[in-house]
Amino acid sequence: MDMASRHNRKQSRNENPRDDLLMAVGAYFKNDFGALQIDGDDKTLVCIQSGTVATTQEQTLDVGTYYVATITINSPTAIMAVGRNTIWSTSRNASSTTFKILGRYNGDTVPYYIFDPISSSVSDFGLQMFNASGTLTFDALLPPMLILGAYTITTTGSIATLPTGRTVAWIPGARGLSIRRSSDEAEINCRIPSYNSGSGLLTIADEGIFNLRSAGGADTPAEDFMLTVLDVTGI
């Protein structure tokens, strides 16, 4: 093949690039589940706080007794994941976010993880990424939110098989409340995830939270909700 023919073939390839090779400028990383983990243009969600917290009794008039732990973070954009039980409520104002974690009993200890868009680096060394405006979008020394999967919860039982031997936490999109009624009482139930690190099974179970006085009526089925599952090993 002469040089002119080679040049024409090369020029033809350059003028008709494959569509799947076209992308915006920057670096983008997805995990095996297809979830976007790092976007060079936008701030990465990183863990800014983690630990355990114990629940205490919370009483609401004519609703019964249940147990929650309360955590307030000085950020209006914070996201919480829990490694046991579920999130009872989230409230935000202009400067902070307050989370309430549901417990099964008084003094129930629950691991939690707080994520927020990265705001500053923690060191002057290591891999960092900045967008075109010079804003820090990733720092390898700050644990990013690692998504294992997202599941629509419509029933109880086994939902998914995750990698074994990991530390897992979840972000529920709702509480999955349901009501079972009798002639004079209503049992309030909540859908609670759990993870078995030996088998990797992610399961959902209905847990009774409290009872209240009721005049009877029809049962109320649990609401469907989205459950985002994270790998928090080492955090």
Side-chain angles (χ1 to χ4, degrees):
M1 181 182 295
D2 59 28
M3 293 297 294
S5 297
R6 291 180 181 177
H7 173 76
N8 290 338
R9 288 187 62 185
K10 181 178 179 181
Q11 185 178 43
S12 176
R13 287 198 300 267
N14 290 339
E15 290 173 352
N16 298 282
R18 288 169 49 194
D19 291 340
D20 60 355
L21 293 180
L22 293 176
M23 60 177 293
V25 174
Y28 303 84
F29 300 89
K30 293 184 178 181
N31 64 12
D32 292 342
F33 293 89
L36 182 65
Q37 300 285 210
I38 300 172
D39 181 342
D41 292 332
D42 298 315
K43 292 183 176 183
T44 304
L45 287 168
V46 296
C47 186
I48 61 170
Q49 182 176 318
S50 64
T52 59
V53 63
T55 60
T56 58
Q57 179 173 307
E58 179 151 316
Q59 180 80 35
T60 303
L61 182 64
D62 197 33
V63 173
T65 302
Y66 57 101
Y67 306 96
V68 299
T70 302
I71 297 175
T72 297
I73 303 296
N74 292 324
S75 169
T77 56
I79 298 171
M80 172 180 278
V82 291
R84 289 185 60 240
N85 301 345
T86 194
I87 298 172
W88 185 250
S89 66
T90 302
S91 58
R92 304 181 189 275
N93 59 33
S95 60
S96 66
T97 306
T98 297
F99 302 96
K100 289 190 175 184
I101 305 171
L102 183 68
R104 290 180 171 87
Y105 50 84
N106 194 29
D108 192 2
T109 301
V110 181
Y112 71 90
Y113 308 85
I114 306 292
F115 294 87
D116 207 30
I118 189 171
S119 59
S120 60
S121 62
V122 295
S123 177
D124 58 0
F125 65 89
L127 176 64
Q128 296 178 343
M129 295 175 62
F130 298 84
N131 63 18
S133 300
T135 301
L136 179 69
T137 60
F138 174 78
D139 187 327
L141 297 180
L142 292 170
M145 178 186 285
L146 299 177
I147 299 172
L148 286 176
Y151 309 94
T152 301
I153 306 304
T154 61
T155 185
T156 57
S158 297
I159 301 302
T161 301
L162 304 175
T164 59
R166 311 302 293 172
T167 303
V168 168
W170 40 81
I171 306 168
R175 294 174 288 188
L177 292 179
S178 63
I179 304 176
R180 296 192 181 104
R181 301 179 187 274
S182 62
S183 60
D184 61 353
E185 194 173 81
E187 179 185 82
I188 310 301
N189 298 278
C190 184
R191 291 200 159 163
I192 307 291
S194 62
Y195 165 74
N196 185 309
S197 62
S199 64
L201 283 179
L202 176 71
T203 58
I204 304 291
D206 279 337
E207 298 277 353
I209 305 304
F210 52 76
N211 293 348
L212 55 85
R213 292 192 297 274
S214 172
D219 292 347
T220 302
E223 56 192 333
D224 297 345
F225 63 94
M226 180 66 70
L227 187 74
T228 302
V229 181
L230 311 180
D231 187 337
V232 292
T233 305
I235 297 180

